[in-house]
């Protein structure tokens, strides 16, 4: 997705060889025009899949997920990382190791919002080692629902999350795939099907 790639190149900051900061348009300040384009793009990439709900994780997945929900005309559920006193009905939980914070988080949703009949599109801002996506898949499966696919805004293709999820047979669509962040430079994979051979 060219608009996203150019945003990454102009406003993203490479913090380390494996961390990209996109606080200027996705993780802190949010660019609504870009979010709208992202929502439209995910809706078109998953148009052939049955989708009745979108599931993401707070907080950075919410903006792209809501815009996608608007284009696909389905509700959006976000998993919470903090325990909430109001989140009491049939709690489904999973453990997720956070790549950026390097701690284990329990994530939770209320079973009220995902049922056996649902076909769930999982969305997140970044894909690194796949822990967040695997935790969300776990929640969907605990609810007895079906995973329709996984949409990622920025996939760091030099980490193994994408491979793990695709090997399990999930349809994974990433709007920007990064080959390398070495030398403070963002290097994209040109084609979504290109594989890194190292
Ligand atoms: P994973 O669970 O796939 O290892 O990592 C994905 C999660 O970690 C995302 O939900 C995202 O919040 C965070 N994350 C992973 N890599 C990056 C990164 O390079 N930059 C930012 N801002 N977040 C990241």
């Amino acid at each position: 997705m060219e608009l996203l790639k150019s945003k990454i190149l102009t406003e993203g900051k490479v913090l380390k060889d494996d961390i990209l900061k996109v606080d200027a348009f996705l993780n802190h300040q949010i660019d609504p025009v870009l979010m709208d384009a992202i929502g439209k793009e995910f809706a078109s990439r998953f148009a052939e899949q049955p989708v009745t709900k979108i599931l993401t994780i707070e907080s950075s997945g919410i903006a792209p997920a809501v815009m996608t929900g608007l284009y696909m005309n389905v509700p959006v559920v976000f998993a919470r990382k903090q325990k909430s006193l109001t989140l009491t009905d049939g709690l489904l939980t999973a453990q997720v190791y956070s790549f950026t914070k390097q701690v284990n988080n329990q994530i939770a949703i209320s079973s009220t919002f995902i049922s056996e009949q649902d076909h769930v599109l999982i969305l997140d801002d970044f894909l690194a080692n796949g822990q967040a996506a695997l935790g969300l898949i776990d929640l969907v499966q605990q609810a007895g629902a079906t995973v329709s696919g996984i949409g990622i805004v920025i996939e760091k293709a030099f980490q193994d999350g994408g491979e793990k999820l695709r090997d399990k047979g999930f349809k994974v669509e990433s709007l920007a795939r990064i080959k390398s962040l070495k030398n403070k430079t963002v290097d994209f994979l040109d084609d979504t099907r290109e594989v890194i051979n190292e």
Side-chain angles (χ1 to χ4, degrees):
M1 188 183 163
E2 291 312 314
L3 178 60
L4 174 63
K5 285 186 184 174
S6 78
K7 272 275 179 187
I8 292 171
L9 292 176
T10 52
E11 297 182 34
K13 296 212 163 32
V14 179
L15 288 192
K16 294 204 287 170
D17 280 0
D18 59 358
I19 303 260
L20 176 68
K21 185 170 170 168
V22 289
D23 279 21
F25 57 90
L26 179 60
N27 289 152
H28 193 17
Q29 175 169 261
I30 294 174
D31 180 339
V33 173
L34 178 65
M35 292 309 123
D36 179 68
I38 285 174
K40 201 171 184 176
E41 181 71 22
F42 276 136
S44 115
R45 292 200 191 195
F46 291 98
E48 305 302 314
Q49 265 62 45
V51 175
T52 60
K53 289 260 161 111
I54 292 172
L55 176 63
T56 188
I57 185 165
E58 67 176 354
S59 54
S60 301
I62 297 176
V66 167
M67 294 315 294
T68 310
L70 194 58
Y71 278 100
M72 299 188 93
N73 198 21
V74 296
V76 177
V77 179
F78 65 89
R80 292 179 182 248
K81 291 178 185 161
Q82 251 87 50
K83 285 206 176 80
S84 160
L85 288 177
T86 58
L87 190 62
T88 50
D89 302 337
L91 216 55
L92 303 176
T93 61
Q95 291 297 323
V96 169
Y97 180 77
S98 163
F99 176 75
T100 42
K101 301 197 178 87
Q102 310 213 321
V103 289
N104 263 310
N105 279 319
Q106 191 184 59
I107 61 166
I109 58 168
S110 160
S111 60
T112 316
F113 300 119
I114 298 190
S115 70
E116 284 176 14
Q117 288 77 41
D118 278 318
H119 292 265
V120 182
L121 173 61
I122 290 173
L123 292 186
D124 203 7
D125 59 341
F126 271 92
L127 178 60
N129 296 318
Q131 296 307 304
L134 288 168
L136 294 170
I137 291 168
D138 189 359
L139 295 180
V140 173
Q141 291 176 341
Q142 286 180 48
T146 308
V147 175
S148 298
I150 299 160
I152 299 291
V153 180
I154 303 170
E155 175 180 349
K156 290 180 295 173
F158 55 89
Q159 293 174 290
D160 69 357
E163 200 182 338
K164 270 187 211 155
L165 299 173
R166 292 183 179 99
D167 282 354
K168 286 181 187 291
F170 294 111
K171 175 181 164 73
V172 181
E173 288 287 335
S174 305
L175 305 188
R177 296 184 79 208
I178 294 173
K179 191 183 208 163
S180 161
L181 291 173
K182 286 190 182 141
N183 306 316
K184 300 261 169 202
T185 305
V186 182
D187 193 5
F188 293 104
L189 284 182
D190 291 325
D191 183 273
T192 46
R193 279 159 295 277
E194 191 182 336
V195 172
I196 299 177
N197 294 308
E198 276 185 26

